[in-house]
Amino acid sequence: MTAKTSDGKEIFNDYRIYMPQSTTSRNKEMVYGAQWKTGIIRDTSLQPYQSKNETFEIKLPATVRTVDVTVELTYQLFPADKIPVHTVTKRVSLDR
């Protein structure tokens, strides 16, 4: 999720990963790849046909009243591979 001012300056950037989070069961470090996963820490995956609500809190500079928020949903099989699924951009104003 990215928030930019009306002149294009980025003021916020954050992301969330939705997946079954797994370890090798030797330590608490999260690992990628089915060949390494032996213990599930927690499941934060997106389930089919179920909605998911998230909250992002953005501290705006005092002079900023309107931002353009872009949310991107990507599929990531491996850390370097990101496949875009859906993107939404909306203008959000504190004056409404």
Side-chain angles (χ1 to χ4, degrees):
M1 204 272 298
T2 305
K4 295 182 180 181
T5 60
S6 55
D7 61 354
K9 181 182 175 190
E10 185 176 298
I11 58 171
F12 182 81
N13 191 336
D14 196 6
Y15 67 93
R16 307 279 164 86
I17 297 176
Y18 303 103
M19 65 179 281
Q21 297 174 8
S22 303
T23 69
T24 60
S25 293
R26 295 185 182 133
N27 55 31
K28 293 187 181 254
E29 184 176 325
M30 192 170 77
V31 295
Y32 293 96
Q35 71 274 21
W36 303 109
K37 295 178 181 179
T38 59
I40 292 181
I41 300 171
R42 62 184 172 178
D43 187 3
T44 60
S45 61
L46 297 174
Q47 300 299 317
Y49 306 108
Q50 291 184 3
S51 60
K52 177 84 172 172
N53 293 324
E54 285 289 346
T55 301
F56 291 88
E57 294 184 17
I58 303 170
K59 285 192 171 194
L60 297 176
T63 58
V64 175
R65 304 292 298 168
T66 303
V67 293
D68 295 318
V69 177
T70 302
V71 178
E72 297 176 323
L73 178 63
T74 58
Y75 176 74
Q76 186 173 350
L77 183 59
F78 296 106
D81 299 331
K82 288 187 180 180
I83 302 166
V85 175
H86 192 66
T87 302
V88 175
T89 301
K90 293 200 176 202
R91 179 161 283 185
V92 179
S93 176
L94 296 176
D95 296 329
R96 294 183 193 178

Coordinates of all heavy atoms in Angstrom, one line a residue:
M1 N 0.8 -1.2 0.0 CA 0.0 0.0 0.0 C 0.9 1.2 0.0 O 1.8 1.3 0.8 CB -0.9 0.0 1.2 CG -2.1 0.8 1.1 SD -2.1 2.5 1.5 CE -1.7 2.5 3.2
T2 N 0.6 2.1 -0.9 CA 1.4 3.3 -1.0 C 0.5 4.6 -1.0 O -0.6 4.5 -1.6 CB 2.1 3.3 -2.4 OG1 2.9 2.1 -2.5 CG2 3.1 4.5 -2.5
A3 N 0.9 5.6 -0.3 CA 0.2 6.9 -0.3 C 1.1 8.0 -0.8 O 2.2 8.1 -0.4 CB -0.3 7.2 1.2
K4 N 0.6 8.8 -1.7 CA 1.3 9.9 -2.3 C 0.5 11.1 -2.2 O -0.7 11.1 -2.3 CB 1.6 9.6 -3.8 CG 2.5 8.4 -4.0 CD 2.9 8.2 -5.4 CE 3.8 7.0 -5.6 NZ 4.1 6.8 -7.0
T5 N 1.2 12.3 -2.1 CA 0.5 13.5 -2.1 C 0.1 13.8 -3.5 O 0.5 13.2 -4.5 CB 1.5 14.7 -1.6 OG1 2.6 14.7 -2.5 CG2 1.9 14.4 -0.2
S6 N -0.7 14.9 -3.7 CA -1.2 15.2 -5.0 C -0.1 15.6 -6.0 O -0.3 15.5 -7.2 CB -2.3 16.3 -4.9 OG -1.7 17.4 -4.3
D7 N 1.0 16.0 -5.5 CA 2.2 16.4 -6.4 C 3.1 15.1 -6.6 O 4.1 15.3 -7.3 CB 3.0 17.5 -5.9 CG 3.6 17.3 -4.5 OD1 3.3 16.2 -3.9 OD2 4.4 18.1 -4.1
G8 N 2.7 14.0 -6.2 CA 3.4 12.7 -6.5 C 4.5 12.3 -5.5 O 5.2 11.3 -5.6
K9 N 4.6 13.0 -4.4 CA 5.6 12.7 -3.3 C 5.1 11.5 -2.5 O 4.0 11.6 -1.9 CB 5.9 13.9 -2.5 CG 7.0 13.6 -1.4 CD 7.2 14.9 -0.6 CE 8.2 14.6 0.6 NZ 8.2 15.6 1.5
E10 N 5.9 10.5 -2.4 CA 5.5 9.3 -1.6 C 5.7 9.6 -0.1 O 6.8 10.0 0.4 CB 6.3 8.1 -1.9 CG 5.8 6.8 -1.2 CD 6.6 5.6 -1.7 OE1 6.5 5.3 -2.9 OE2 7.3 5.0 -0.8
I11 N 4.6 9.5 0.7 CA 4.7 9.8 2.1 C 4.5 8.5 3.0 O 4.7 8.6 4.2 CB 3.7 10.9 2.6 CG1 2.2 10.4 2.2 CG2 4.0 12.2 1.9 CD1 1.2 11.4 2.8
F12 N 4.0 7.4 2.4 CA 3.8 6.2 3.2 C 3.9 5.0 2.2 O 3.5 5.0 1.1 CB 2.4 6.2 3.8 CG 2.1 5.0 4.6 CD1 2.6 4.9 5.9 CD2 1.4 3.9 4.1 CE1 2.3 3.8 6.7 CE2 1.1 2.8 4.9 CZ 1.6 2.8 6.2
N13 N 4.6 3.9 2.8 CA 4.7 2.7 2.0 C 4.7 1.5 3.0 O 5.6 1.5 3.9 CB 5.9 2.7 1.1 CG 5.9 1.6 0.1 OD1 5.3 0.5 0.3 ND2 6.7 1.8 -1.0
D14 N 3.9 0.5 2.9 CA 3.8 -0.6 3.8 C 3.3 -1.8 3.0 O 2.7 -1.6 1.9 CB 3.0 -0.3 5.0 CG 3.2 -1.3 6.1 OD1 4.1 -2.1 6.0 OD2 2.5 -1.2 7.1
Y15 N 3.6 -3.0 3.5 CA 3.0 -4.2 2.8 C 2.7 -5.3 3.9 O 3.2 -5.2 5.0 CB 4.1 -4.8 1.8 CG 5.3 -5.3 2.5 CD1 5.4 -6.6 2.8 CD2 6.4 -4.5 2.7 CE1 6.6 -7.2 3.4 CE2 7.5 -5.0 3.3 CZ 7.6 -6.3 3.6 OH 8.7 -6.8 4.2
R16 N 1.9 -6.2 3.5 CA 1.5 -7.3 4.3 C 1.7 -8.6 3.4 O 1.5 -8.6 2.2 CB 0.0 -7.3 4.7 CG -0.4 -6.0 5.4 CD 0.0 -6.0 6.8 NE 0.0 -4.6 7.4 CZ -1.0 -4.0 7.9 NH1 -2.2 -4.6 7.9 NH2 -0.9 -2.8 8.4
I17 N 2.1 -9.7 4.1 CA 2.3 -10.9 3.4 C 1.2 -11.9 4.0 O 1.1 -12.1 5.2 CB 3.7 -11.5 3.6 CG1 4.7 -10.6 3.0 CG2 3.8 -12.9 3.1 CD1 6.2 -11.0 3.3
Y18 N 0.5 -12.5 3.1 CA -0.6 -13.4 3.4 C -0.2 -14.8 3.0 O -0.1 -15.1 1.8 CB -1.9 -13.1 2.8 CG -2.4 -11.7 3.2 CD1 -2.3 -10.6 2.3 CD2 -2.9 -11.4 4.5 CE1 -2.7 -9.4 2.7 CE2 -3.3 -10.1 4.8 CZ -3.1 -9.1 3.9 OH -3.5 -7.8 4.3
M19 N 0.2 -15.7 3.9 CA 0.6 -17.0 3.6 C 0.7 -17.9 4.8 O 0.8 -17.3 5.9 CB 2.0 -17.0 2.9 CG 3.1 -16.5 3.8 SD 4.7 -16.5 3.1 CE 5.2 -18.2 3.2
P20 N 0.7 -19.2 4.7 CA 1.0 -20.0 5.9 C 2.4 -19.8 6.2 O 3.3 -20.0 5.4 CB 0.7 -21.4 5.4 CG -0.1 -21.3 4.2 CD 0.2 -20.0 3.6
Q21 N 2.7 -19.2 7.4 CA 4.1 -18.9 7.8 C 4.7 -20.1 8.4 O 4.2 -20.6 9.4 CB 4.1 -17.7 8.7 CG 3.6 -16.5 7.9 CD 3.4 -15.3 8.8 OE1 3.9 -15.3 9.9 NE2 2.8 -14.2 8.3
S22 N 5.8 -20.6 7.9 CA 6.4 -21.9 8.3 C 7.8 -21.7 8.6 O 8.5 -20.8 8.2 CB 6.2 -22.9 7.2 OG 4.9 -23.1 6.8
T23 N 8.3 -22.7 9.4 CA 9.7 -22.8 9.8 C 10.3 -24.2 9.5 O 9.5 -25.1 9.1 CB 10.0 -22.5 11.3 OG1 9.5 -23.6 12.0 CG2 9.3 -21.2 11.7
T24 N 11.6 -24.3 9.7 CA 12.2 -25.6 9.6 C 12.0 -26.4 10.9 O 12.5 -27.5 11.0 CB 13.7 -25.5 9.3 OG1 14.3 -24.8 10.3 CG2 13.9 -24.8 7.9
S25 N 11.4 -25.8 11.9 CA 11.2 -26.3 13.2 C 12.5 -26.4 14.0 O 12.6 -26.9 15.1 CB 10.6 -27.7 13.2 OG 9.3 -27.6 12.7
R26 N 13.6 -25.8 13.5 CA 14.9 -25.7 14.2 C 15.0 -24.4 14.9 O 15.8 -24.2 15.8 CB 16.0 -25.9 13.2 CG 16.0 -27.3 12.7 CD 17.3 -27.6 11.8 NE 17.2 -28.9 11.3 CZ 17.5 -29.2 10.0 NH1 17.8 -28.2 9.2 NH2 17.4 -30.4 9.6
N27 N 14.3 -23.4 14.3 CA 14.3 -22.0 14.9 C 13.0 -21.3 14.5 O 12.2 -21.9 13.9 CB 15.6 -21.2 14.5 CG 15.7 -21.1 13.0 OD1 14.7 -21.1 12.3 ND2 16.9 -21.1 12.5
K28 N 12.9 -20.0 14.8 CA 11.6 -19.3 14.5 C 11.7 -18.5 13.2 O 10.8 -17.8 12.9 CB 11.3 -18.4 15.7 CG 10.9 -19.1 16.9 CD 10.4 -18.2 18.0 CE 10.0 -19.0 19.2 NZ 8.7 -19.2 19.5
E29 N 12.8 -18.7 12.5 CA 13.0 -18.0 11.2 C 12.0 -18.5 10.2 O 11.9 -19.7 9.9 CB 14.4 -18.1 10.7 CG 14.7 -17.3 9.5 CD 16.2 -17.3 9.1 OE1 17.0 -17.4 10.0 OE2 16.5 -17.3 7.9
M30 N 11.3 -17.6 9.5 CA 10.3 -18.0 8.5 C 11.1 -18.4 7.2 O 12.1 -17.8 6.8 CB 9.4 -16.9 8.1 CG 8.2 -17.3 7.3 SD 6.9 -16.1 7.2 CE 7.6 -15.0 6.0
V31 N 10.7 -19.5 6.6 CA 11.3 -20.0 5.4 C 10.3 -20.0 4.2 O 9.1 -20.1 4.4 CB 11.9 -21.4 5.6 CG1 13.0 -21.3 6.6 CG2 10.9 -22.4 6.0
Y32 N 10.9 -19.9 3.0 CA 10.1 -20.1 1.8 C 10.4 -21.4 1.1 O 11.5 -21.9 1.3 CB 10.4 -19.0 0.7 CG 10.0 -17.6 1.2 CD1 10.9 -16.7 1.8 CD2 8.7 -17.1 1.0 CE1 10.6 -15.5 2.2 CE2 8.4 -15.9 1.4 CZ 9.3 -15.0 2.0 OH 8.9 -13.8 2.4
G33 N 9.5 -22.0 0.4 CA 9.7 -23.2 -0.3 C 9.2 -24.4 0.4 O 9.6 -24.6 1.6
A34 N 8.4 -25.2 -0.2 CA 7.8 -26.4 0.4 C 8.9 -27.4 0.9 O 8.7 -28.1 1.8 CB 6.9 -27.1 -0.6
Q35 N 10.0 -27.4 0.2 CA 11.0 -28.4 0.6 C 11.7 -28.1 2.0 O 12.3 -29.0 2.6 CB 12.1 -28.5 -0.5 CG 13.0 -27.3 -0.6 CD 12.5 -26.2 -1.5 OE1 11.3 -26.1 -1.7 NE2 13.4 -25.3 -1.9
W36 N 11.5 -26.9 2.5 CA 12.1 -26.5 3.8 C 11.0 -26.4 4.9 O 11.4 -26.4 6.1 CB 12.8 -25.2 3.7 CG 13.8 -25.1 2.6 CD1 13.8 -24.5 1.4 CD2 15.1 -25.8 2.6 NE1 14.9 -24.7 0.7 CE2 15.7 -25.5 1.4 CE3 15.7 -26.6 3.5 CZ2 17.0 -26.0 1.1 CZ3 17.0 -27.1 3.2 CH2 17.6 -26.8 2.0
K37 N 9.8 -26.3 4.6 CA 8.7 -26.1 5.6 C 8.4 -27.4 6.3 O 7.9 -28.4 5.7 CB 7.5 -25.5 4.9 CG 7.7 -24.2 4.3 CD 6.5 -23.6 3.7 CE 6.7 -22.3 3.0 NZ 5.6 -21.7 2.4
T38 N 8.5 -27.4 7.6 CA 8.1 -28.6 8.4 C 7.2 -28.2 9.5 O 6.5 -29.1 10.1 CB 9.4 -29.3 9.0 OG1 10.1 -28.4 9.8 CG2 10.2 -29.8 7.9
G39 N 7.2 -26.9 9.9 CA 6.3 -26.5 11.0 C 5.6 -25.2 10.7 O 6.3 -24.3 10.3
I40 N 4.3 -25.2 10.9 CA 3.5 -24.0 10.6 C 3.4 -23.1 11.9 O 3.0 -23.6 12.9 CB 2.1 -24.3 10.1 CG1 2.3 -24.9 8.7 CG2 1.3 -23.0 10.0 CD1 0.9 -25.3 8.0
I41 N 3.9 -21.8 11.8 CA 3.8 -20.9 12.9 C 2.3 -20.4 13.0 O 1.7 -20.4 14.0 CB 4.7 -19.7 12.7 CG1 6.2 -20.2 12.6 CG2 4.6 -18.7 13.8 CD1 7.1 -19.1 12.2
R42 N 1.8 -19.8 11.9 CA 0.4 -19.3 11.8 C 0.0 -19.3 10.4 O 0.9 -19.2 9.5 CB 0.3 -18.0 12.5 CG 1.1 -16.9 11.9 CD 1.1 -15.6 12.6 NE 2.0 -14.7 12.0 CZ 2.2 -13.5 12.4 NH1 1.5 -13.0 13.4 NH2 3.1 -12.7 11.8
D43 N -1.3 -19.2 10.2 CA -1.8 -19.1 8.8 C -2.5 -17.8 8.6 O -3.5 -17.5 9.2 CB -2.8 -20.3 8.6 CG -3.3 -20.3 7.1 OD1 -2.8 -19.6 6.3 OD2 -4.1 -21.2 6.8
T44 N -1.8 -16.9 7.8 CA -2.4 -15.6 7.4 C -2.8 -15.6 6.0 O -2.9 -14.5 5.4 CB -1.4 -14.5 7.7 OG1 -0.2 -14.7 6.9 CG2 -1.0 -14.4 9.2
S45 N -3.0 -16.7 5.4 CA -3.3 -16.8 3.9 C -4.7 -16.2 3.6 O -5.6 -16.1 4.5 CB -3.2 -18.2 3.4 OG -4.1 -19.0 4.1
L46 N -4.9 -15.8 2.3 CA -6.2 -15.3 1.9 C -7.0 -16.6 1.4 O -6.5 -17.4 0.6 CB -6.0 -14.4 0.7 CG -5.3 -13.1 1.0 CD1 -5.1 -12.3 -0.3 CD2 -6.1 -12.3 2.0
Q47 N -8.2 -16.7 1.9 CA -9.0 -17.8 1.6 C -10.0 -17.5 0.4 O -10.4 -16.3 0.3 CB -9.8 -18.3 2.8 CG -9.0 -18.7 4.0 CD -8.1 -19.9 3.6 OE1 -8.5 -20.8 3.0 NE2 -6.8 -19.8 4.0
P48 N -10.3 -18.4 -0.4 CA -11.1 -18.1 -1.6 C -12.5 -17.7 -1.1 O -13.1 -18.2 -0.2 CB -11.2 -19.5 -2.3 CG -10.1 -20.3 -1.8 CD -9.8 -19.8 -0.5
Y49 N -13.0 -16.6 -1.8 CA -14.4 -16.1 -1.6 C -14.6 -15.6 -0.2 O -15.8 -15.5 0.3 CB -15.4 -17.2 -2.0 CG -15.2 -17.7 -3.4 CD1 -14.8 -19.0 -3.6 CD2 -15.5 -16.9 -4.5 CE1 -14.6 -19.5 -4.9 CE2 -15.3 -17.3 -5.8 CZ -14.8 -18.6 -5.9 OH -14.6 -19.1 -7.2
Q50 N -13.6 -15.3 0.5 CA -13.7 -14.7 1.9 C -13.1 -13.3 1.9 O -12.0 -13.1 1.3 CB -13.1 -15.5 2.9 CG -13.8 -16.8 3.2 CD -13.2 -17.6 4.3 OE1 -12.3 -17.2 5.0 NE2 -13.8 -18.8 4.5
S51 N -13.8 -12.3 2.4 CA -13.2 -11.0 2.5 C -12.2 -10.9 3.6 O -12.2 -11.6 4.6 CB -14.3 -9.9 2.7 OG -15.0 -10.2 3.9
K52 N -11.3 -9.9 3.4 CA -10.2 -9.7 4.4 C -10.1 -8.2 4.6 O -9.9 -7.4 3.7 CB -8.9 -10.2 3.9 CG -7.7 -10.0 4.7 CD -7.6 -11.0 5.8 CE -6.2 -10.9 6.5 NZ -6.2 -11.8 7.6
N53 N -10.3 -7.7 5.9 CA -10.2 -6.3 6.2 C -8.8 -6.0 6.8 O -8.4 -6.7 7.7 CB -11.3 -5.9 7.2 CG -12.6 -6.0 6.6 OD1 -12.8 -5.7 5.4 ND2 -13.6 -6.4 7.3
E54 N -8.2 -5.0 6.4 CA -6.9 -4.5 6.9 C -7.0 -3.0 7.2 O -7.7 -2.3 6.6 CB -5.8 -4.7 5.9 CG -5.3 -6.2 5.7 CD -4.6 -6.7 6.9 OE1 -4.1 -5.9 7.8 OE2 -4.4 -7.9 7.0
T55 N -6.2 -2.6 8.2 CA -6.1 -1.2 8.6 C -4.7 -0.7 8.5 O -3.8 -1.4 9.0 CB -6.6 -1.0 10.0 OG1 -8.0 -1.5 10.1 CG2 -6.6 0.4 10.4
F56 N -4.5 0.4 7.8 CA -3.2 1.0 7.7 C -3.4 2.4 8.3 O -4.3 3.2 7.8 CB -2.7 1.1 6.2 CG -2.4 -0.2 5.6 CD1 -3.3 -0.9 5.0 CD2 -1.0 -0.6 5.6 CE1 -3.0 -2.1 4.4 CE2 -0.7 -1.8 5.0 CZ -1.7 -2.6 4.4
E57 N -2.6 2.8 9.2 CA -2.6 4.1 9.8 C -1.5 4.9 9.3 O -0.3 4.6 9.4 CB -2.6 4.1 11.3 CG -3.8 3.4 11.9 CD -3.8 3.4 13.4 OE1 -3.0 4.2 14.1 OE2 -4.5 2.6 14.0
I58 N -1.8 6.1 8.7 CA -0.8 6.9 8.0 C -0.8 8.3 8.8 O -1.8 8.9 8.9 CB -1.2 7.2 6.6 CG1 -1.3 5.9 5.8 CG2 -0.2 8.1 5.9 CD1 -1.9 6.0 4.4
K59 N 0.4 8.7 9.2 CA 0.6 10.0 9.8 C 0.9 11.0 8.7 O 1.9 10.9 8.1 CB 1.7 10.0 10.8 CG 1.3 9.3 12.1 CD 2.4 9.6 13.2 CE 1.9 9.1 14.5 NZ 2.6 9.6 15.6
L60 N 0.0 11.9 8.5 CA 0.1 12.9 7.4 C 0.8 14.1 7.9 O 0.6 14.5 9.0 CB -1.2 13.3 6.8 CG -2.1 12.2 6.2 CD1 -3.4 12.7 5.7 CD2 -1.3 11.6 5.0
P61 N 1.7 14.7 7.1 CA 2.2 16.0 7.5 C 1.1 17.0 7.6 O 0.0 16.9 7.0 CB 3.1 16.4 6.3 CG 3.4 15.1 5.6 CD 2.2 14.2 5.8
A62 N 1.3 18.0 8.5 CA 0.3 19.0 8.8 C -0.3 19.7 7.6 O -1.5 20.1 7.6 CB 0.8 20.0 9.8
T63 N 0.5 19.9 6.5 CA 0.0 20.6 5.4 C -0.7 19.7 4.3 O -1.3 20.2 3.4 CB 1.2 21.3 4.7 OG1 2.2 20.2 4.3 CG2 1.9 22.3 5.6
V64 N -0.7 18.4 4.5 CA -1.3 17.5 3.6 C -2.7 17.2 4.0 O -2.9 16.7 5.1 CB -0.5 16.2 3.4 CG1 -1.1 15.2 2.5 CG2 0.9 16.5 2.9
R65 N -3.7 17.4 3.1 CA -5.1 17.1 3.4 C -5.7 16.0 2.5 O -6.7 15.4 2.8 CB -5.9 18.4 3.3 CG -5.5 19.5 4.1 CD -5.7 19.3 5.6 NE -7.1 19.1 5.9 CZ -7.5 18.7 7.1 NH1 -6.7 18.4 8.0 NH2 -8.8 18.6 7.3
T66 N -5.0 15.8 1.4 CA -5.5 14.8 0.4 C -4.3 13.9 -0.1 O -3.2 14.4 -0.3 CB -6.1 15.5 -0.8 OG1 -7.1 16.4 -0.4 CG2 -6.6 14.6 -1.8
V67 N -4.5 12.6 -0.2 CA -3.5 11.7 -0.7 C -4.1 10.7 -1.7 O -5.4 10.5 -1.6 CB -2.8 10.9 0.5 CG1 -2.0 11.8 1.4 CG2 -3.9 10.1 1.3
D68 N -3.3 10.2 -2.6 CA -3.7 9.2 -3.5 C -3.2 7.9 -2.9 O -2.0 7.7 -2.8 CB -3.1 9.4 -4.9 CG -3.7 10.7 -5.5 OD1 -4.9 10.9 -5.3 OD2 -3.0 11.5 -6.1
V69 N -4.1 6.9 -2.6 CA -3.7 5.7 -2.0 C -3.8 4.6 -3.1 O -4.8 4.4 -3.8 CB -4.6 5.3 -0.8 CG1 -4.3 4.0 -0.3 CG2 -4.5 6.4 0.2
T70 N -2.7 3.8 -3.2 CA -2.7 2.7 -4.2 C -2.5 1.4 -3.4 O -1.5 1.3 -2.6 CB -1.6 2.9 -5.2 OG1 -1.8 4.1 -5.9 CG2 -1.6 1.7 -6.2
V71 N -3.4 0.4 -3.6 CA -3.3 -0.9 -3.0 C -3.0 -1.9 -4.1 O -3.8 -1.9 -5.1 CB -4.5 -1.2 -2.2 CG1 -4.4 -2.6 -1.6 CG2 -4.8 -0.2 -1.1
E72 N -2.0 -2.7 -4.0 CA -1.7 -3.7 -5.0 C -1.7 -5.1 -4.4 O -1.1 -5.3 -3.3 CB -0.3 -3.4 -5.6 CG -0.1 -2.1 -6.3 CD 1.3 -1.9 -6.8 OE1 2.2 -2.2 -6.1 OE2 1.4 -1.3 -7.9
L73 N -2.4 -6.0 -5.0 CA -2.4 -7.4 -4.6 C -1.6 -8.2 -5.6 O -1.8 -8.1 -6.8 CB -3.8 -7.9 -4.6 CG -4.0 -9.4 -4.2 CD1 -3.5 -9.6 -2.8 CD2 -5.4 -9.8 -4.4
T74 N -0.5 -8.8 -5.1 CA 0.4 -9.6 -6.0 C 0.5 -11.0 -5.5 O 0.3 -11.3 -4.3 CB 1.8 -9.0 -6.1 OG1 2.3 -8.9 -4.7 CG2 1.8 -7.6 -6.7
Y75 N 0.7 -11.9 -6.4 CA 1.0 -13.3 -6.1 C 2.5 -13.5 -6.1 O 3.2 -13.1 -7.1 CB 0.3 -14.3 -7.1 CG 0.6 -15.7 -6.8 CD1 0.1 -16.4 -5.8 CD2 1.5 -16.4 -7.6 CE1 0.3 -17.7 -5.5 CE2 1.8 -17.7 -7.4 CZ 1.2 -18.4 -6.3 OH 1.5 -19.7 -6.1
Q76 N 3.1 -14.1 -5.1 CA 4.5 -14.2 -5.0 C 4.9 -15.7 -4.6 O 4.7 -16.1 -3.5 CB 5.0 -13.3 -3.9 CG 6.5 -13.2 -3.8 CD 7.0 -12.1 -2.8 OE1 6.2 -11.3 -2.4 NE2 8.2 -12.1 -2.5
L77 N 5.3 -16.4 -5.6 CA 5.6 -17.8 -5.4 C 7.0 -17.9 -4.8 O 7.2 -18.7 -3.8 CB 5.6 -18.6 -6.7 CG 5.9 -20.1 -6.7 CD1 4.9 -20.8 -5.8 CD2 5.9 -20.7 -8.1
F78 N 8.0 -17.1 -5.2 CA 9.3 -17.1 -4.7 C 9.6 -15.6 -4.3 O 9.0 -14.7 -4.9 CB 10.3 -17.6 -5.7 CG 10.1 -19.1 -6.0 CD1 9.6 -19.5 -7.2 CD2 10.5 -20.0 -5.0 CE1 9.4 -20.8 -7.4 CE2 10.3 -21.4 -5.3 CZ 9.8 -21.8 -6.5
P79 N 10.6 -15.3 -3.4 CA 10.8 -13.9 -3.0 C 11.1 -12.9 -4.2 O 10.7 -11.8 -4.1 CB 12.1 -14.0 -2.1 CG 12.0 -15.4 -1.6 CD 11.4 -16.3 -2.7
A80 N 11.7 -13.4 -5.3 CA 12.0 -12.5 -6.4 C 10.9 -12.4 -7.4 O 10.9 -11.5 -8.2 CB 13.3 -12.9 -7.0
D81 N 9.9 -13.2 -7.3 CA 8.8 -13.3 -8.3 C 7.6 -12.6 -7.8 O 7.0 -13.1 -6.8 CB 8.5 -14.7 -8.8 CG 9.7 -15.4 -9.4 OD1 10.5 -14.7 -10.0 OD2 9.8 -16.6 -9.3
K82 N 7.1 -11.5 -8.4 CA 5.9 -10.9 -8.0 C 5.0 -10.8 -9.2 O 5.3 -10.2 -10.2 CB 6.1 -9.5 -7.4 CG 6.7 -9.6 -6.0 CD 6.8 -8.2 -5.4 CE 7.4 -8.3 -4.0 NZ 7.4 -6.9 -3.4
I83 N 3.8 -11.4 -9.2 CA 2.9 -11.4 -10.3 C 1.7 -10.5 -9.9 O 1.0 -10.8 -8.9 CB 2.4 -12.8 -10.6 CG1 3.6 -13.7 -11.0 CG2 1.4 -12.8 -11.7 CD1 3.3 -15.2 -11.0
P84 N 1.4 -9.4 -10.6 CA 0.3 -8.5 -10.2 C -1.0 -9.2 -10.4 O -1.3 -9.9 -11.4 CB 0.5 -7.3 -11.1 CG 1.6 -7.6 -12.1 CD 2.2 -8.9 -11.7
V85 N -1.9 -9.1 -9.4 CA -3.3 -9.7 -9.5 C -4.3 -8.6 -9.7 O -5.2 -8.6 -10.5 CB -3.6 -10.5 -8.3 CG1 -5.0 -11.0 -8.3 CG2 -2.6 -11.7 -8.2
H86 N -4.2 -7.5 -8.8 CA -5.2 -6.5 -8.8 C -4.6 -5.2 -8.2 O -3.8 -5.3 -7.3 CB -6.4 -6.9 -8.0 CG -7.6 -6.0 -8.2 ND1 -8.3 -5.9 -9.4 CD2 -8.2 -5.2 -7.3 CE1 -9.3 -5.1 -9.2 NE2 -9.3 -4.6 -8.0
T87 N -5.0 -4.0 -8.8 CA -4.5 -2.7 -8.3 C -5.7 -1.8 -8.2 O -6.5 -1.7 -9.1 CB -3.4 -2.2 -9.2 OG1 -2.3 -3.1 -9.3 CG2 -2.9 -0.8 -8.7
V88 N -5.8 -1.1 -7.1 CA -6.8 -0.1 -6.9 C -6.2 1.2 -6.4 O -5.3 1.2 -5.5 CB -7.9 -0.5 -5.8 CG1 -8.9 0.6 -5.5 CG2 -8.5 -1.8 -6.3
T89 N -6.5 2.4 -7.0 CA -6.0 3.7 -6.6 C -7.2 4.6 -6.3 O -8.2 4.7 -7.1 CB -5.2 4.3 -7.7 OG1 -4.1 3.5 -7.9 CG2 -4.7 5.7 -7.2
K90 N -7.2 5.2 -5.1 CA -8.3 6.1 -4.7 C -7.7 7.3 -4.1 O -6.7 7.3 -3.4 CB -9.2 5.4 -3.7 CG -10.0 4.3 -4.3 CD -11.2 4.0 -3.5 CE -12.0 2.9 -4.2 NZ -13.3 2.8 -3.9
R91 N -8.4 8.5 -4.3 CA -8.0 9.7 -3.7 C -8.8 9.8 -2.4 O -10.0 9.7 -2.3 CB -8.3 10.9 -4.6 CG -8.0 12.2 -3.9 CD -7.9 13.3 -4.9 NE -6.5 13.1 -5.6 CZ -6.0 13.9 -6.5 NH1 -6.7 15.0 -6.9 NH2 -4.9 13.6 -7.0
V92 N -8.1 10.1 -1.3 CA -8.7 10.2 0.1 C -8.4 11.6 0.6 O -7.3 12.0 0.6 CB -8.1 9.1 1.0 CG1 -8.7 9.2 2.4 CG2 -8.2 7.7 0.4
S93 N -9.5 12.2 1.1 CA -9.3 13.6 1.6 C -9.8 13.6 3.0 O -10.8 13.0 3.4 CB -10.2 14.5 0.7 OG -10.1 15.8 1.3
L94 N -9.2 14.4 3.8 CA -9.6 14.6 5.2 C -10.7 15.7 5.3 O -11.4 15.9 6.3 CB -8.4 15.1 6.1 CG -7.3 14.1 6.3 CD1 -6.2 14.7 7.0 CD2 -7.8 12.9 7.0
D95 N -11.0 16.4 4.2 CA -11.9 17.5 4.2 C -13.4 17.0 3.9 O -14.3 17.8 3.9 CB -11.5 18.5 3.2 CG -10.2 19.2 3.5 OD1 -9.9 19.3 4.8 OD2 -9.4 19.5 2.6
R96 N -13.6 15.8 3.6 CA -14.9 15.3 3.2 C -15.7 14.9 4.4 O -15.3 14.5 5.4 CB -14.8 14.1 2.3 CG -14.3 14.5 1.0 CD -14.3 13.4 0.0 NE -13.4 13.7 -1.1 CZ -13.2 12.9 -2.1 NH1 -13.7 11.7 -2.1 NH2 -12.4 13.3 -3.1

